[in-house]
Structure formats: C-alpha cells, structure tokens
Amino acid sequence: MHDFCLTIPYGMILMGGGVVGYVKKGSIASLAGGLGTGLLLILAGYLSLKAFERRKNSYLALSIEIVCAAVLTFVMGQRYVQTSKIMPAGIVAGISALMTAFFLYKIATGGNHFPIKSE
C-alpha cells in the first residue's frame, strides 16, 4: 500500500476531529491542532501522490508524515496518560502510533514501489 492512500484520509480524520472538538467544546486548540496537522498531512499525501505519478518517491513527504504522526502519538499519548480519556486523546494516540509504524515501514522498505511496466 502506498503512503498517500492512508495519509490523505488520516489528515481528513484529524481535520474533522478538530472541527468536532471546536463545535462541541469551543476548543480553539483542538480546531487549530486538527486543521493544522490535517492540512499538513493532506499536503504531504498530495506531494507523495504527485511524485508517485512521476514514478518517484517523495522523501520530503514521508518525512513530514512521520514527524506529524510521531508528534501526535507523543502529545496525545501524554494527554491520555494525564486524563485517561479514550476520546479523543487515546484514539488519536493509537491511530497516530499505527501511522508512525506504517511510515517507518515505508522508509525501511524504500518508499512506494511501482508496478512493472509490461510492454
């Protein structure tokens, strides 16, 4: 599976979560954090998709993806430990930990792989 296949939906989920946090609790931090990281991840996914279309890997995109996911894992993991609230801290920390592992796997295996052109 290519990184952009999961990165773009992951970014959209974070954006949606930020908006929901703002609407339900009036949390500006939730809105800014969700929209900011979500947009950054969608941009990284888009860069990776465009690189894939040129049959290349975007290590800039992978770097952005892994940093965002790792930071979210750490920050939301700490928040979960402090509050013991599954929603949203535990869920975001868990999803972000899985995404961090996926991005590390993509880096370890050389990025996106391209189908062989048959002639």
Side-chain angles (χ1 to χ4, degrees), residues 5-85:
C5 294
L6 294 179
T7 302
I8 294 171
Y10 174 45
M12 293 170 109
I13 289 168
L14 292 173
M15 287 177 62
V19 170
V20 167
Y22 177 73
V23 169
K24 284 190 159 209
K25 303 277 185 181
S27 172
I28 300 289
S30 178
L31 181 65
L35 288 179
T37 55
L39 284 172
L40 191 57
L41 284 162
I42 290 170
L43 173 65
Y46 177 78
L47 290 174
S48 181
L49 174 62
K50 290 302 169 188
F52 182 79
E53 289 173 353
R54 295 186 314 272
R55 299 184 65 77
K56 296 186 184 298
N57 276 302
S58 174
Y59 291 104
L60 170 64
L62 266 172
S63 299
I64 293 168
E65 293 162 356
I66 197 164
V67 166
C68 285
V71 167
L72 278 171
T73 300
F74 180 75
V75 169
M76 296 308 271
Q78 280 190 323
R79 184 164 297 155
Y80 173 71
V81 168
Q82 292 170 350
T83 65
S84 298
K85 291 185 179 179

Side-chain angles (χ1 to χ4, degrees), residues 93-111:
I95 291 170
S96 296
L98 291 171
M99 292 303 294
T100 301
F102 173 71
F103 295 139
L104 286 171
Y105 168 77
K106 293 308 288 182
I107 288 172
T109 59

